[in-house]
Amino acid sequence: MFLAVDIGGTKTLLACFDDKGKITAEVKFATSQTYSEWLQDLAKNLPALKCDDFQKGCVAVPGRLDRENGIALGYGTLQWGQESIQADVEATTHCPILLENDAKLAGLSEGILLKDFKNVLYVTIGTGISCALITDGKINPALADSEGGQILIDDRGQAKQWEDVSSGHAIVERFGKLASEINDTEVWKSISRDFSRGLINLIAVIQPEVIVMGGGVSTNFDKYIPYLQKELKKYETPLVPIPPIRQAVHSEEAVIYGCYEYGKQHHEKPAAK
């Protein structure tokens, strides 16, 4: 059995996969703002999966990593320190554990589904904004630590990080509603303009063949996609073509599916010749 752990800013999702990649059980619990308490909560919730024979696993972290040493160096909204998450989870689960950024794993799960494209740009818009570049079905190492949400854009004469203008949190602050509660066409046009200002910078630099929009805000894909495409077309040039934009297949579970796919790629070693 394979264990996937998705550490979110407010909740942690655990999932158990069988050998065929099917989810057999899931458990959620609140993510503590204290790392030691989170480890205790992890140990308490693992039995609820009813999978006591984990052979390997992967932990998704919302932040920057020291992959060689299995340490998380920084997070999004969590105030944890530089913790040895890989070793600590291995001690708790008694199985080998991989560590990777959550957005990169979500992008991996979505990118693998698009077999007709070599370079897939995944953009997740939720509480914050992040992205991943998936090349030939693998996380592109050149952008493994990229943080697209930190791009600076002009917002009414002030330079602000893109996620401070366009994330789900920013939408609530500006309009007083969750994205899912907004049905006003003019509001979605405004949100789409803000989306486009960050996206066009990513498109110009990365030149992806397709963009996949994920995250909680992007579950409202049908509400904004016509306006987003129209906004992006304003910036299109012969040197910067606008690629097709798709909605993510998975929303809540994209990260844990990415954990499983990443485990298949990195836990299993090629057979000896």
Side-chain angles (χ1 to χ4, degrees), residues 61-65 67 73-77 100-105 121-124 128-133 140 142-153 160-164 198 201-202 206:
V61 179
R64 190 175 179 85
L65 305 171
R67 293 173 180 82
L73 302 175
Y75 312 85
T77 58
E100 188 49 78
N101 174 268
D102 57 352
K104 307 304 181 281
L105 290 169
L121 174 62
Y122 174 81
V123 179
T124 175
I129 296 178
S130 193
C131 64
L133 178 62
N140 191 308
L143 294 177
D145 292 314
S146 62
E147 287 293 343
Q150 308 296 301
I151 288 173
L152 291 179
I153 63 172
K160 293 184 179 180
Q161 291 179 347
W162 184 28
E163 67 180 8
D164 290 339
N201 287 296
L202 293 176
I206 297 173

Side-chain angles (χ1 to χ4, degrees), residues 98-120:
L98 295 166
L99 200 64
E100 188 49 78
N101 174 268
D102 57 352
K104 307 304 181 281
L105 290 169
L108 177 64
S109 70
E110 294 293 327
I112 283 175
L113 297 175
L114 298 175
K115 302 184 185 300
D116 293 336
F117 298 94
K118 177 181 176 66
N119 287 306
V120 178

Side-chain angles (χ1 to χ4, degrees), residues 83-95:
E83 308 292 351
S84 300
I85 295 180
Q86 184 174 17
D88 292 340
V89 175
E90 285 182 342
T92 301
T93 61
H94 308 292
C95 73

Side-chain angles (χ1 to χ4, degrees), residues 5-7 28 47 53 60 65 67 70 78 94 101 130 140 150 163 170-171 188-189 211 249 251 262:
V5 182
D6 176 12
I7 304 173
K28 291 181 183 179
D53 59 343
L65 305 171
R67 293 173 180 82
L78 289 174
H94 308 292
N101 174 268
S130 193
N140 191 308
Q150 308 296 301
E163 67 180 8
I171 288 171
W188 277 111
K189 286 181 179 179
I211 297 173
V249 174
S251 53
Y262 191 72

